[in-house]
Amino acid sequence: MNKFRILIVEDDPPIRNLIATTLKTHDYKYLLAKNGEEAIMQASTYNPDVVFLDLGLPDIDGVDIIKKIREWSVMPIIVISARSEDEDKIEALDAGADDYLTKPFSVEELLARLRVMQRRIALLQSDNEMMESSVYVNGWLKIDLAAGCAYKNDEELKLTPIEYKLLCILARNTGKVLTHKYITQKIWGSAWDSNVASLRVFMATLRKKLDDEKETVSLIQTHVGIGYRMIKAESSKEST
Ligand code: CA
């Protein structure tokens, strides 16, 4: 039995039912909300582990719901939006959402996103330990935060200061989709278009150093038009 409790916020009954049925089939517990008011009420009363949040709700804007929840909780939020709502998606991620699903989505996709969030929760729980030990380990990647060095399979990576900073920002937010705006603000303190162009260049050089032909799976995912995400390397011990 899965102990996870998930809040589904969706005003469209067929989609709400699809998500509910999928979760039920996979032994997740869930709560339902058909509008923003119910969403905030359920989130604050039951403190769910993950929220699936439709951005287009009849009463309250989805982004405002995220801001509201973020006032008291870091619970992972996965936004659900139509393909035409890219701007809303970016706004939602900047407001503190962790991930997104684009309609129409498959059941497999939904479950995969949920697994990413489960790993993210495990990471958040071990976050304090990580900060104390100052060493970040993700599969073959190791970052010695105290020394300011990164290693690939124990071989030191020759990173420029900006590449290193970029890697640390992604690592600290493993599992979360970070927007271009978020990353550029962290690196340069501003989010001009020229910064976003520079970010693409630094990301390309960073990836070249991280991913060689020996690695089949890249740790950094590109979300076209949105940003990047560091994924948790699959370990053989993990049962997903
Ligand atoms: Ca809707």
Side-chain angles (χ1 to χ4, degrees):
M1 183 72 195
N2 220 313
K3 283 196 209 106
F4 266 69
R5 191 157 50 177
I6 294 138
L7 172 61
I8 307 164
V9 187
E10 172 64 74
D11 62 326
D12 192 356
I15 300 177
R16 195 168 62 229
N17 291 340
L18 170 76
I19 300 173
T21 309
T22 304
L23 296 181
K24 201 172 175 179
T25 312
H26 289 83
D27 278 341
Y28 288 102
K29 292 198 182 102
Y30 63 86
L31 300 154
L32 298 170
K34 58 181 182 302
N35 57 47
E37 206 181 319
E38 280 183 18
I40 291 167
M41 202 272 284
Q42 300 261 41
S44 58
T45 310
Y46 299 104
N47 200 30
D49 296 292
V50 175
V51 182
F52 278 108
L53 175 67
D54 174 29
L55 285 181
L57 293 167
D59 54 347
I60 308 173
D61 186 71
V63 173
D64 289 333
I65 296 173
I66 297 166
K67 287 179 185 161
K68 199 93 196 149
I69 292 176
R70 283 291 172 263
E71 285 173 12
W72 84 86
S73 174
V74 293
M75 62 177 77
I77 301 172
I78 303 172
V79 298
I80 304 171
S81 69
R83 201 163 290 279
S84 57
E85 298 166 333
D86 252 8
E87 284 300 314
D88 299 348
K89 223 179 305 188
I90 292 168
E91 210 191 325
L93 290 164
D94 278 330
D98 295 82
D99 199 358
Y100 60 87
L101 267 174
T102 305
K103 290 177 190 174
F105 52 85
S106 68
V107 163
E108 288 72 27
E109 206 179 339
L110 176 91
L111 292 167
R113 296 309 167 91
L114 200 49
R115 285 194 296 271
V116 169
M117 283 310 123
Q118 286 183 283
R119 288 190 210 114
R120 176 154 171 74
I121 290 165
L123 270 176
L124 284 174
Q125 282 160 353
S126 65
D127 218 27
N128 290 338
E129 292 163 38
M130 182 192 109
M131 288 309 149
E132 269 168 37
S133 69
S134 310
V135 174
Y136 168 89
V137 180
N138 184 7
W140 47 262
L141 174 67
K142 188 171 94 183
I143 306 173
D144 185 336
L145 296 159
C149 301
Y151 301 86
K152 177 179 183 173
N153 293 324
D154 292 324
E155 196 179 313
E156 191 178 344
L157 289 159
K158 304 265 183 288
L159 303 179
T160 66
I162 287 182
E163 287 165 359
Y164 176 75
K165 207 167 168 182
L166 183 52
L167 183 65
C168 288
I169 292 166
L170 290 162
R172 280 183 204 278
N173 293 284
T174 302
K176 184 169 166 36
V177 178
L178 302 179
T179 61
H180 295 132
K181 186 178 157 196
Y182 178 90
I183 300 171
T184 51
Q185 254 166 357
K186 285 275 172 194
I187 294 181
W188 293 286
S190 61
W192 297 323
D193 289 348
S194 61
N195 290 145
V196 176
S198 306
L199 173 62
R200 288 208 172 87
V201 175
F202 285 113
M203 189 58 89
T205 58
L206 173 63
R207 292 180 112 155
K208 222 169 166 181
K209 293 175 186 179
L210 284 184
D211 307 331
D212 59 31
E213 60 282 1
K214 277 180 232 156
E215 301 303 333
T216 46
V217 181
S218 174
L219 288 179
I220 302 172
Q221 286 180 339
T222 300
H223 291 250
V224 177
I226 291 173
Y228 303 94
R229 157 162 56 195
M230 169 83 77
I231 56 164
K232 183 93 180 78
E234 298 281 350
S235 89
S236 49
K237 273 185 274 175
E238 222 161 9
S239 55
T240 52

